[in-house]
Amino acid sequence: MSPTRKRVLVTGGAGFLGSHLCERLIAQGDDVVCVDNYFTGRKDNIAHLLSLTHFEALRHDVCFPLYIEVDEIYNLACPASPIHYQHDPVQTTKTSVSGAINMLGLAKRLRAKVFQASTSEVYGDPSVHPQREEYRGNVNPIGPRACYDEGKRCAETLFFDYYRQHNLRIRVARIFNTYGPRMHPNDGRVVSNFIVQALKGEPITIYGDGSQTRAFCYVDDLIEGFVRLMAAPDEVTGPINLGNPVETTVGELAAKIVDLVGSHSKIVHRPLPVDDPVQRCPDIARARDVLGWEPRVTLETGLRNTIAYFDRLLTENGDKPQSAAKLIA
Ligand SMILES: NC(=O)c1ccc[n+]([C@@H]2O[C@H](COP(=O)([O-])OP(=O)(O)OC[C@H]3O[C@@H](n4cnc5c(N)ncnc54)[C@H](O)[C@@H]3O)[C@@H](O)[C@H]2O)c1
């Protein structure tokens, strides 16, 4: 192995973000170990990497300790969509909390740098817009989203206690809504939902009246932010918001996707789920200032790439009616 080649562990590496991160790290010359229990991740997401010398995949659940030798750890393992994290809420909290303890323990033993994929959900249903890192959030600790929100909040606590108590080199990113190729087609997240419904020519389901806003970050932009944060000087611990500050209403998003797909899907409305935030938008001043980072990919470009991915996926699976969509390449 080249003496300068870093060994990097990516937990949740077979998931949506993790697979893009693995790709990016290999491209920059790192030696990557992907750890995943394939709960929401898929082998297909990393199939193209498996034959590469500097990539290896390990089936492992982060709730259990792991003993390997690495220089850096990106801890992404955790189901991210409400459908998946509410499927087994106890396991979700365990994954966040025990997963963080195990990865921090590993980092402590190896004196490795460790990155936590935290989330804008730590802000709960925010009463402050846009959300800055200083905002402490408005989380319902006993609601159906709490297994995820509180699990992630506890993981942040552990990261900062390991930092203070053991001088560990930590990086905490608070990720806002991110989309792109390799999102799970049935995870109920708004971008993948709308695209799949539009490609199938099915009605587009909007929860609520569609006036709630979201800010969508394209995956390539987010991964650039991860890598910059990891490479930043050690005093840059975070938490640091990574997301796209351009707000779009859910209604506008639906209309844009219908237009880009060229679909004839109708829009239908359903009641808002419990504790669904009405507005969510990052303040990324800190990321701009400290990392020189900001999103570059427009919503239209990102959506075109994502639509192309789902179009291929549905076609391969025989899931797309021929007449439903005329895709814009
Ligand atoms: N995508 C987003 O918009 C977003 C937003 C905020 C935070 N995040 C965070 O980023 C990380 C990755 O999210 P994603 O969108 O790629 O989701 P994902 O579900 O595609 O990826 C999560 C991965 O973790 C794996 N995993 C789950 N439990 C595990 C366990 N116990 N042991 C080992 N592996 C396990 C899954 O199989 C999957 O491959 C998550 O921690 C998520 O909370 C994502």
Side-chain angles (χ1 to χ4, degrees):
M1 184 193 294
S2 141
T4 55
R5 197 180 281 279
K6 272 183 301 190
R7 294 159 306 177
V8 184
L9 167 62
V10 179
T11 76
F16 160 47
L17 298 180
S19 60
H20 286 275
L21 177 62
C22 290
E23 250 173 21
R24 168 66 194 264
L25 295 173
I26 290 168
Q28 72 182 30
D30 294 338
D31 204 272
V32 174
V33 183
C34 158
V35 159
D36 209 294
N37 70 350
Y38 302 106
F39 173 50
T40 51
R42 285 171 297 156
K43 288 187 176 169
D44 286 343
N45 288 344
I46 51 166
H48 60 298
L49 302 176
L50 286 173
S51 62
L52 301 179
T53 312
H54 295 291
F55 180 79
E56 63 189 288
L58 202 62
R59 181 188 287 271
H60 175 80
D61 185 325
V62 294
C63 295
F64 300 96
L66 178 69
Y67 298 98
I68 56 170
E69 309 301 314
V70 289
D71 304 301
E72 292 180 353
I73 302 168
Y74 286 86
N75 186 35
L76 273 61
C78 186
S81 77
I83 288 183
H84 291 135
Y85 70 63
Q86 289 172 11
H87 170 73
D88 186 348
V90 172
Q91 183 59 31
T92 299
T93 306
K94 278 188 187 168
T95 296
S96 271
V97 178
S98 303
I101 290 171
N102 287 323
M103 289 310 122
L104 287 161
L106 180 64
K108 180 174 167 234
R109 182 172 71 81
L110 302 171
R111 302 310 304 167
K113 241 192 277 186
V114 58
F115 171 106
Q116 168 67 0
S118 190
T119 170
S120 57
E121 300 287 340
V122 300
Y123 300 122
D125 188 1
S127 48
V128 170
H129 297 283
Q131 290 86 52
R132 296 170 57 87
E133 290 84 350
E134 292 77 17
Y135 177 56
R136 294 188 186 173
N138 176 31
V139 173
N140 174 2
I142 56 168
R145 301 173 79 106
C147 57
Y148 183 73
D149 304 2
E150 297 290 14
K152 289 285 187 177
R153 285 170 71 94
C154 183
E156 285 199 10
T157 306
L158 285 160
F159 267 70
F160 279 88
D161 280 334
Y162 267 77
Y163 168 69
R164 284 184 289 259
Q165 202 175 327
H166 299 297
N167 285 321
L168 214 61
R169 292 179 296 154
I170 62 158
R171 306 286 188 274
V172 175
R174 289 186 180 152
I175 305 163
F176 284 67
N177 256 338
T178 300
Y179 71 100
R182 303 200 200 115
M183 293 179 88
H184 203 289
N186 304 319
D187 68 3
R189 286 193 259 191
V190 65
V191 172
S192 45
N193 253 13
F194 288 178
I195 292 178
V196 169
Q197 288 169 333
L199 285 169
K200 288 183 170 178
E202 291 172 355
I204 307 257
T205 325
I206 293 186
Y207 295 98
D209 64 3
S211 64
Q212 68 273 38
T213 68
R214 293 290 183 269
F216 300 102
C217 185
Y218 188 63
V219 61
D220 291 355
D221 281 331
L222 184 80
I223 299 301
E224 178 64 29
F226 281 16
V227 169
R228 284 189 191 208
L229 177 55
M230 192 60 127
D234 284 342
E235 59 272 19
V236 182
T237 56
I240 196 153
N241 289 338
L242 294 177
N244 193 323
V246 178
E247 275 183 280
T248 311
T249 70
V250 169
E252 283 162 2
L253 177 76
K256 199 167 196 71
I257 288 174
V258 168
D259 181 43
L260 288 175
V261 170
S263 156
H264 300 295
S265 294
K266 293 197 168 40
I267 294 195
V268 296
H269 293 268
R270 297 268 181 276
L272 265 184
V274 178
D275 292 341
D276 200 47
V278 289
Q279 189 183 12
R280 180 68 74 50
C281 181
D283 180 320
I284 59 163
R286 191 181 283 184
R288 278 200 180 104
D289 186 34
V290 178
L291 307 177
W293 175 87
E294 65 184 337
R296 306 227 169 266
V297 180
T298 62
L299 184 60
E300 177 154 342
T301 302
L303 285 177
R304 282 180 193 273
N305 294 345
T306 313
I307 290 168
Y309 166 78
F310 279 113
D311 188 57
R312 262 198 319 277
L313 191 75
L314 296 185
T315 306
E316 276 165 22
N317 295 346
D319 251 352
K320 204 187 85 182
Q322 288 295 321
S323 59
K326 62 171 175 49
L327 184 74
I328 304 160

